[in-house]
Amino acid sequence: MESRLEKSTVTGERLVYHYTSAAGAFGIISSGKIWCPSVYYMNDRQEGIYARSVAHQCANILLKASAPEVRTAFTVELQRQLERTDDAGAFAVCFSEAGDLLSQWRGYGGNGGFSLGFGIEALSQAASRIGMQVKKVLYKNDEQIVALLPIVKSFMSSFDFSILGNREKIGDIFLPLARAIAAESAWMKDAAFSEEREWRLCALPYSNDNAEVSYILRSGLIVPTVVFDLYVGQKSIGKRELRDHCLRNYFVGPGSDRHQQLFAISGLLRKMNWYTEGGGTSRAPLK
């Protein structure tokens, strides 16, 4: 599906939207930060491991001319080593190209939630300071293979297949490949999710005891997360100096109090001295 990103009417930036509950929106605005949980804790149970199947496809492509026993031994070892990264997955927060999408309200915003519209360029500026990235999620299998094939190919070009039976050596040799694939896992999803038109702000894989990792309680689970500071500078509007946290606009989700919530979030943003270009209410027919 081709990108159809909305743009800011003031800055011209491309916009992506983060759907969240009222509690989530309040937390983001009151702190100036957004939480990037481990991909293993997202709604899709295949998050963080879907890319492994693509890596196997790449290995089979590259080993097509190899003996069957070599191909089998390598792919079995590849799976074993990829599972070693279960405690060191990527951390990401999700955005959609659509600011008022019914399926997103159902899945993430709920009754009375919000979608917060952020400028991609501003997000990327903030992310680059700490080694994070903003990228579009790939849903097409051929695009996913194109992304992973160079990684697997580079590894295999220098790999000594004679060590496949040597347990002492093989773990350390495979680990860089496993980590590289784990890093790419945040940008790949099954085509069934393509309607979401998703982008992600993503941190590189960290082990759960890394100093960058914090912990939050969400839906009864202890969730590893990386906290991202949205602040990128000041904006002068007339005589006012406002704080720029990459937010450009916002929608109040479906619900009986949507107009009151629009007044409330507008007041909160003014009180916190945030720059925005205004907001509106959803037209989605969610009951």
Side-chain angles (χ1 to χ4, degrees):
M1 183 178 294
E2 295 298 321
S3 295
R4 300 190 301 274
L5 273 73
E6 301 172 22
K7 292 187 176 182
S8 160
T9 57
V10 177
T11 66
E13 292 172 278
R14 298 172 297 164
L15 301 178
V16 287
Y17 292 83
H18 178 63
Y19 287 74
T20 186
S21 64
F26 180 82
I28 291 168
I29 296 168
S30 60
S31 69
K33 298 177 173 60
I34 197 166
W35 286 258
C36 306
S38 165
V39 295
Y40 296 133
Y41 289 81
M42 291 185 175
N43 288 2
D44 175 13
R45 295 181 65 87
Q46 290 298 305
E47 287 282 7
I49 62 175
Y50 174 83
R52 296 176 188 177
S53 65
V54 182
H56 279 286
Q57 288 180 278
C58 295
N60 286 327
I61 290 170
L62 295 168
L63 292 170
K64 187 176 182 179
S66 301
E69 60 270 21
V70 171
R71 185 163 59 249
T72 299
F74 185 87
T75 54
V76 167
E77 192 60 50
L78 177 62
Q79 181 63 28
R80 180 183 291 122
Q81 297 300 325
L82 287 173
E83 290 172 355
R84 292 180 64 196
T85 62
D86 279 351
D87 68 338
F91 292 77
V93 62
C94 305
F95 303 85
S96 172
E97 294 178 0
D100 188 17
L101 188 63
L102 182 58
S103 61
Q104 290 290 86
W105 290 122
R106 284 176 171 159
Y108 306 102
N111 192 350
F114 296 84
S115 73
L116 306 177
F118 293 91
I120 291 179
E121 286 75 16
L123 278 175
S124 297
Q125 175 188 339
S128 65
R129 296 185 307 218
I130 54 173
M132 294 177 70
Q133 290 181 291
V134 179
K135 288 173 63 175
K136 185 178 180 181
V137 170
L138 301 178
Y139 299 101
K140 295 180 180 178
N141 185 244
D142 56 346
E143 294 178 339
Q144 295 165 349
I145 290 174
V146 167
L148 280 191
L149 196 63
I151 296 172
V152 181
K153 185 176 182 179
S154 175
F155 173 78
M156 291 177 63
S157 65
S158 58
F159 183 74
D160 181 359
F161 283 86
S162 67
I163 71 160
L164 278 172
N166 189 328
R167 302 300 325 153
E168 292 183 6
K169 291 184 179 180
I170 203 162
D172 291 340
I173 292 174
F174 262 91
L175 193 56
L177 173 64
R179 286 177 173 165
I181 292 170
E184 292 298 316
S185 68
W187 318 113
M188 297 183 184
K189 293 187 73 170
D190 188 279
F193 294 94
S194 60
E195 183 191 33
E196 296 179 348
R197 294 155 54 190
E198 193 171 340
W199 288 64
R200 288 186 172 178
L201 166 66
C202 185
L204 294 176
Y206 293 116
S207 60
N208 288 344
D209 59 356
N210 189 284
E212 297 294 331
V213 178
S214 303
Y215 289 84
I216 59 174
L217 186 63
R218 189 178 70 181
S219 302
L221 298 174
I222 299 172
V223 180
T225 186
V226 171
V227 180
F228 178 78
D229 191 340
L230 291 162
Y231 180 72
V232 290
Q234 299 289 118
K235 278 189 177 291
S236 299
I237 306 297
K239 295 182 178 180
R240 293 188 64 193
E241 285 290 323
L242 302 178
R243 296 176 60 82
D244 186 358
H245 291 277
C246 311
L247 187 68
R248 300 296 174 254
N249 63 18
Y250 49 91
F251 288 98
V252 179
S256 57
D257 296 325
R258 68 180 75 182
H259 293 292
Q260 289 299 324
Q261 284 296 285
L262 180 60
F263 295 144
I265 192 172
S266 300
L268 175 61
L269 287 163
R270 288 194 299 273
K271 189 172 185 65
M272 300 304 298
N273 215 36
W274 275 41
Y275 168 79
T276 70
E277 296 163 14
T281 58
S282 170
R283 297 182 180 180
L286 181 65
K287 295 181 179 180

